[in-house]
Amino acid sequence: MSAGSGRIRIIGGSLRNSRLNVPELPGLRPTAERVRETLFNWLAPVIAGENCLDLCAGTGALGIEALSRGAAKVQFVERDARAAQALRDNLVRLKIANGQVSTTDAGVYLQGAAQPYGLVFLDPPFALNLWSALARRLEEGGWLSSAAWIYVESPRGTVPALPESWLLHREGHAGEVRYALYRRANELR
């Protein structure tokens, strides 16, 4: 989807077929519907009641999809003020009370007081190459529960350097995107 197409659809759960308004912003790259469908099929057994962190949220489609499918709450972090406001507007329009938006850089956010999340969406702007730095802060800063799930989206052919404790659960490709779901090991083997 191009940045200018204006709307994307929630594909499952209580908000199924709801539309998210998407601002026309350079570099905004919403996760494709078929990728979200695959990801949330993988997460179906574990999503209910989970506290989630949507880091580099962009449109917030991943976090809103999680809420639609039974996540307890989602913390959205988005540095672009226009994208963050569009996300807030979508949450209000869809009457979502258990989503909170922080307008700040993901790296700055992760320097704050940590609370552990059971599911994290890590999908930074591809051009900024932030995967490894943000993953390290998530792992070392107390942001992940002992058996957290971490979704990582990156360019096809790129496997970011991630903490040893993140074990690949499943992965796939769609167009120029690699998407992967990791599970944090309780202890290194």
Side-chain angles (χ1 to χ4, degrees):
M1 167 195 198
S2 71
S5 57
R7 292 171 78 85
I8 57 176
R9 179 176 70 98
I10 297 301
I11 54 175
S14 63
L15 297 170
R16 182 182 177 148
N17 291 325
S18 296
R19 303 286 175 170
L20 302 180
N21 295 322
V22 177
E24 189 169 336
L25 298 171
L28 189 60
R29 181 192 38 78
T31 300
E33 273 190 28
R34 80 176 216 207
V35 172
R36 281 186 284 125
E37 183 172 11
T38 299
L39 170 63
F40 284 95
N41 285 340
W42 294 345
L43 290 170
V46 300
I47 192 85
E50 203 59 76
N51 290 327
C52 308
L53 176 61
D54 192 348
L55 210 51
C56 308
T59 65
L62 291 170
I64 293 173
E65 194 80 52
L67 290 167
S68 180
R69 293 168 184 255
K73 66 179 180 176
V74 175
Q75 174 65 54
F76 298 91
V77 178
E78 173 52 47
R79 71 183 181 143
D80 185 284
R82 295 167 297 172
Q85 188 57 54
L87 177 50
R88 280 187 196 90
D89 293 345
N90 282 321
L91 292 173
V92 168
R93 186 175 50 77
L94 296 173
K95 299 181 172 91
I96 298 172
N98 51 344
Q100 181 178 347
V101 181
S102 293
T103 307
T104 188
D105 179 78
V108 171
Y109 182 83
L110 293 177
Q111 291 174 2
Q115 60 175 334
Y117 290 93
L119 175 58
V120 175
F121 301 107
L122 181 56
D123 180 16
F126 286 4
L128 299 180
N129 194 23
L130 295 172
W131 297 276
S132 297
L134 293 176
R136 189 172 47 256
R137 285 186 181 171
L138 285 165
E139 179 64 30
E140 296 172 358
W143 292 97
L144 302 173
S145 67
S146 63
W149 295 92
I150 307 102
Y151 171 74
V152 179
E153 193 169 310
S154 59
R156 187 180 191 119
T158 300
V159 179
L162 300 172
E164 281 184 36
S165 60
W166 293 17
L167 306 178
L168 181 63
H169 177 68
R170 299 192 82 173
E171 69 179 318
H173 300 91
E176 296 302 312
V177 172
R178 173 188 182 262
Y179 55 96
L181 183 62
Y182 294 84
R183 181 80 189 263
R184 186 172 187 238
N186 288 317
E187 56 187 65
L188 290 176
R189 295 178 183 146

